[in-house]
Amino acid sequence: ESILSQIRSFEYSQKNAVLVPVAALGVGGMLLYWLRSGRKIKTIDMGDGWWGSGERFLKGKEDPSIRPFKIETSDKEIEDLHQRLDRFRFTPHVEGAAFHYGFNSSYLQKVVAYWRNQFDWRKQVEVLNKYPHFHTTIEGIDIHFIHVKPSYVPHGQAVQPLLMVHGWPGSFYEFYKIIPLLTEPAKHGLNEGDVVFEVICPSIPGYGFSEAPHQKEFDSIATARIFHKLMNRLGFKKYYLQGGDWGSRITTNMAQMLPQSVKGLHLNLVFIAKQSLGRLICTMLGAYVPWLVGFSREDARRFYPFMQKNVYDVLRESGYLHIQATKPDTAGCGLNDSPVGLAAYILEKFSTWTDKSFLHKDDGGLESKYSLDELLTNVMIYWVTSSIVSSMRYYKENFAKDPDLSVHNRVGVYVPTGIAAFPQEIVHVPRVWAKDVYKNIVTYSYMPRGGHFAAFEEPKLLAQDIMQFVQKVEQL
């Protein structure tokens, strides 16, 4: 009996020796699966919305049609503009001020004279209409977009849908120079693998030819949902996204909302506002031993001296933001009534956001990067649509809910991500910090030149980076 008991005990221990590890492995596997599944399914709730005037239509009643749209002008519109320009009240600038006080009023006289006597709005309307424009009604408001398809697709090349989203004070027109590079790359010497795009550029609601929301609380989440609905309405189940400025936040929200629909996300600006003791220590150590905190030499060059580049420069350039995030309608009244005031307000951003050193130039360096026709066309999009106030409200709607634009950073972005870091961008975000939110960075490029308005200023550089990113994603 003693021998039998030992045999049974041995058999039992042998079973335990096998079952316990198997059970542990099973439980561990289930736990790992649960953790991974939890990570994958953590998304921003898509929700729903209504931004039209008055009560919401009954469900299913919204017109889903896509309607061709054409930008038009009239003698009356142009005459009204000219009369207002003729009444421009000039304020002498402080001698030697350059752009340190804002838009230099002497140079503004030159811009206004060109606008009044040489700028041809009818001709620019023809330029704007060279791409197909459309309207469609989503959540009670008319959404404007352009949709450009490649005229020729070589055999074997896959056409990738790409949604590109602008910011403030830009517009869909920012993308006019990059669109041909993306839709016909071979014609422009861009043979980056077998990648060609059809490009969709919507106007953010309240900007340009997209109707302004009639209800409060229209933020980037609402915009992301509307743009997903737009792409779905156009028949795209999966697509690429690209954005800078507000476009960066909107497309990031789109990737956080419906990651299964986003093949890849490309950004030329990253919003990372996380503050912590660890981040403070990294900032301090990075100035002396950048490699210790994951900074490259280029990160250190762009990031330091810290106070100058991340505090003083940002404070100097963000006064507009505080106004627009609190009481946009007050300042907006003046801008909506005065074309000269509107031009000064908008074009000053195209100066210092393109290159910080332009602050020291009497002409703000504007014509070294853009033509006056290009700059004034963007201003005219705001002027003829009376959209400056509604575009400014977008700051209030977003900042009121999320003062440091970081609440959505708690939801990671797991879709393949490409980041183009331009050296003259308002702030630089090192890759090691970007990874806090963007968990799957496929490409991170230190661009050799350029600033905030990348597609408008350096279309070829941006196009090359987008194409290289998409080529990598397609090979994954």
Side-chain angles (χ1 to χ4, degrees):
E1 285 180 2
S2 177
I3 291 170
L4 287 172
S5 176
Q6 286 179 12
I7 291 170
R8 289 192 191 101
S9 176
F10 175 75
E11 287 175 346
Y12 181 73
S13 64
Q14 286 291 92
K15 285 180 182 177
N16 275 353
V18 174
L19 289 173
V20 170
V22 169
L25 192 62
V27 171
M30 288 174 67
L31 182 62
L32 183 63
Y33 176 78
W34 178 79
L35 287 170
R36 289 179 65 84
S37 297
R39 187 188 75 174
K40 284 182 180 177
I41 64 169
K42 190 174 183 183
T43 57
I44 290 175
D45 181 35
M46 189 165 180
D48 202 3
W50 170 258
W51 310 104
S53 181
E55 295 292 320
R56 180 169 192 161
F57 293 150
L58 294 173
K59 196 172 183 180
K61 294 289 186 181
E62 189 163 82
D63 178 10
S65 65
I66 293 168
R67 308 177 295 277
F69 170 74
K70 192 173 182 180
I71 298 171
E72 296 177 343
T73 188
S74 65
D75 290 341
K76 184 178 179 182
E77 184 175 74
I78 295 170
E79 285 169 14
D80 176 70
L81 171 69
H82 286 173
Q83 288 171 8
R84 291 170 187 264
L85 294 176
D86 286 338
R87 293 197 298 268
F88 165 45
R89 293 201 302 174
F90 171 70
T91 303
H93 72 280
V94 178
E95 291 181 13
F99 263 56
H100 286 274
Y101 284 63
F103 207 104
N104 183 293
S105 56
S106 291
Y107 178 63
L108 185 58
Q109 280 187 306
K110 177 189 173 183
V111 172
V112 172
Y114 182 88
W115 199 358
R116 174 63 177 85
N117 301 311
Q118 292 173 262
F119 178 76
D120 188 341
W121 175 232
R122 291 187 185 280
K123 179 183 174 184
Q124 293 308 114
V125 165
E126 290 179 15
V127 171
L128 291 173
N129 282 326
K130 76 175 180 177
Y131 294 131
H133 293 249
F134 302 91
H135 266 158
T136 190
T137 306
I138 303 176
E139 297 188 6
I141 52 177
D142 282 348
I143 306 301
H144 162 260
F145 64 98
I146 57 174
H147 186 179
V148 188
K149 299 179 181 180
S151 57
Y152 169 72
V153 182
H155 179 71
Q157 280 197 328
V159 179
Q160 303 293 347
L162 174 65
L163 180 83
M164 304 188 79
V165 185
H166 66 88
W168 187 92
S171 64
F172 66 92
Y173 178 60
E174 283 181 73
F175 301 116
Y176 267 50
K177 288 185 278 190
I178 198 172
I179 285 172
L181 307 183
L182 296 170
T183 56
E184 300 174 313
K187 191 181 285 188
H188 298 88
L190 295 172
N191 297 305
E192 299 290 345
D194 297 324
V195 180
V196 65
F197 298 92
E198 59 178 294
V199 180
I200 301 92
C201 299
S203 294
I204 298 170
Y207 288 68
F209 299 99
S210 275
E211 186 178 354
H214 297 268
Q215 312 295 331
K216 294 188 296 182
E217 300 184 356
F218 183 85
D219 60 5
S220 63
I221 297 294
T223 315
R225 181 177 63 245
I226 282 175
F227 287 172
H228 269 309
K229 289 181 178 181
L230 170 63
M231 294 302 278
N232 191 254
R233 191 170 287 184
L234 291 172
F236 300 116
K237 301 300 179 189
K238 299 198 78 169
Y239 33 87
Y240 284 93
L241 304 173
Q242 202 287 323
D245 196 87
W246 280 123
S248 169
R249 182 168 166 93
I250 292 163
T251 54
T252 294
N253 289 161
M254 291 177 76
Q256 293 165 320
M257 186 178 285
L258 287 178
Q260 66 273 22
S261 296
V262 180
K263 295 183 76 174
L265 169 68
H266 187 279
L267 306 171
N268 55 279
L269 174 65
V270 173
F271 290 103
I272 300 289
K274 178 182 172 184
Q275 303 298 329
S276 66
L277 179 61
R279 183 61 57 83
L280 177 62
I281 293 169
C282 281
T283 300
M284 294 170 67
L285 289 175
Y288 304 100
V289 280
W291 52 269
L292 190 63
V293 296
F295 288 3
S296 69
R297 285 185 180 180
E298 186 61 20
D299 287 328
R301 194 180 71 80
R302 296 186 182 192
F303 201 65
Y304 300 102
F306 177 80
M307 290 300 291
Q308 180 63 51
K309 293 186 176 181
N310 298 277
V311 179
Y312 302 144
D313 286 354
V314 172
L315 283 173
R316 185 192 65 221
E317 295 300 327
S318 58
Y320 81 98
L321 188 151
H322 190 78
I323 292 171
Q324 295 179 191
T326 52
K327 296 184 177 180
D329 286 31
T330 306
C333 286
L335 301 178
N336 195 46
D337 192 56
S338 166
V340 178
L342 181 68
Y345 196 72
I346 287 177
L347 297 187
E348 182 245 302
K349 305 307 178 195
F350 279 86
S351 169
T352 47
W353 292 4
T354 295
D355 191 318
K356 299 176 187 72
S357 70
F358 287 173
L359 196 70
H360 310 298
K361 295 178 178 287
D362 289 340
D363 64 356
L366 283 166
E367 292 177 75
S368 63
K369 293 288 187 175
Y370 317 102
S371 71
L372 283 180
D373 279 344
E374 290 170 346
L375 292 167
L376 289 170
T377 297
N378 184 65
V379 172
M380 285 295 290
I381 289 169
Y382 282 86
W383 176 253
V384 301
T385 58
S386 293
S387 60
I388 188 61
V389 178
S390 51
S391 75
M392 291 163 70
R393 285 177 188 154
Y394 201 65
Y395 284 76
K396 182 170 180 64
E397 305 295 16
N398 281 285
F399 281 96
K401 296 178 185 176
D402 186 9
D404 64 357
L405 297 184
S406 66
V407 69
H408 303 137
N409 291 352
R410 297 169 196 158
V411 179
V413 176
Y414 293 94
V415 304
T417 302
I419 296 171
F422 284 83
Q424 290 294 333
E425 186 53 270
I426 300 165
V427 291
H428 175 69
V429 177
R431 179 176 185 150
V432 68
W433 287 9
K435 283 165 66 177
D436 286 349
V437 176
Y438 301 93
K439 310 296 186 181
N440 186 9
I441 297 176
V442 175
T443 62
Y444 182 101
S445 308
Y446 297 99
M447 307 306 282
R449 61 185 180 277
H452 187 72
F453 304 99
F456 204 40
E457 181 194 352
E458 294 289 351
K460 193 163 188 177
L461 282 180
L462 185 61
Q464 286 173 323
D465 201 70
I466 293 168
M467 296 175 83
Q468 287 165 7
F469 162 68
V470 170
Q471 188 180 7
K472 272 197 171 183
V473 174
E474 291 297 311
Q475 292 170 351
L476 292 176

